Amino acid sequence: MADEELLAEGQQSEKTLQSIFRLAPIGIGLLVEGKFTLVNEHLSSLTGYEEEELQGHGIEILFSSKAEADFISQKLNEQLQPKNSVSVEAKFKSKSGCEIEVLISSAIVEGGKIFTALDITKQKKAERESEE
């Protein structure tokens, strides 16, 4: 493949990724070397952090403590392999201090890890109420 074709293919891949990030109705973040390099608007609205506030930080910014962030990271990393994804339930702490129950799914991608965060707060509350 010629250099121009590789460049065009790379640019198309970048546009596709940007479209997915923008359109997906779920929080998405890309971590490179453990730091956010890209987050979508939905993750920002879910957590209350602007994209710029998240970029350059690790996931610990989304948890009430570094220990909790480390525990969730370890839980995900134990099962994460290059060709699969892993999911775990966790609790984010929003910028305003509110607790958000989320289902985090993570996968290895070229150069880092991508994760999604689905807000399951209402479902978990309904489950607890039906158990009572």
Side-chain angles (χ1 to χ4, degrees):
M1 222 182 248
D3 289 344
E4 295 86 26
E5 290 175 340
L6 286 172
L7 182 59
E9 187 176 298
Q11 289 171 341
Q12 184 59 43
S13 295
E14 178 69 22
K15 287 179 184 177
T16 300
L17 181 61
Q18 288 175 354
S19 294
I20 292 168
F21 266 62
R22 188 178 66 254
L23 297 173
I26 190 168
I28 303 174
L30 177 63
L31 297 163
V32 175
E33 296 179 9
K35 305 289 183 191
F36 285 107
T37 58
L38 188 60
V39 298
N40 72 348
E41 187 177 315
H42 196 79
L43 185 63
S44 292
S45 66
L46 176 68
T47 63
Y49 289 100
E50 296 296 324
E51 181 178 344
E52 297 79 24
E53 293 176 290
L54 291 171
Q55 286 184 341
H57 287 278
I59 64 164
E60 63 274 356
I61 195 171
L62 300 177
F63 290 91
S64 58
S65 70
K66 181 163 177 9
E68 188 175 354
D70 290 345
F71 175 76
I72 295 299
S73 292
Q74 181 181 2
K75 200 170 180 181
L76 288 168
N77 289 334
E78 284 174 355
Q79 301 172 15
L80 197 56
Q81 300 296 319
K83 299 229 181 227
N84 74 347
S85 63
V86 178
S87 297
V88 64
E89 290 183 9
K91 293 180 182 178
F92 280 171
K93 185 175 181 182
S94 72
K95 185 177 178 179
S96 67
C98 295
E99 195 172 77
I100 307 155
E101 295 182 74
V102 292
L103 177 63
I104 301 171
S105 297
S106 183
I108 295 171
V109 294
E110 188 176 327
K113 294 178 186 168
I114 194 164
F115 79 91
T116 60
L118 176 64
D119 185 351
I120 58 171
T121 306
K122 289 178 184 175
Q123 294 93 316
K124 298 304 281 184
K125 182 179 178 185
E127 284 177 21
R128 287 189 293 274
E129 289 173 356
S130 70
E131 289 174 1
E132 295 170 359

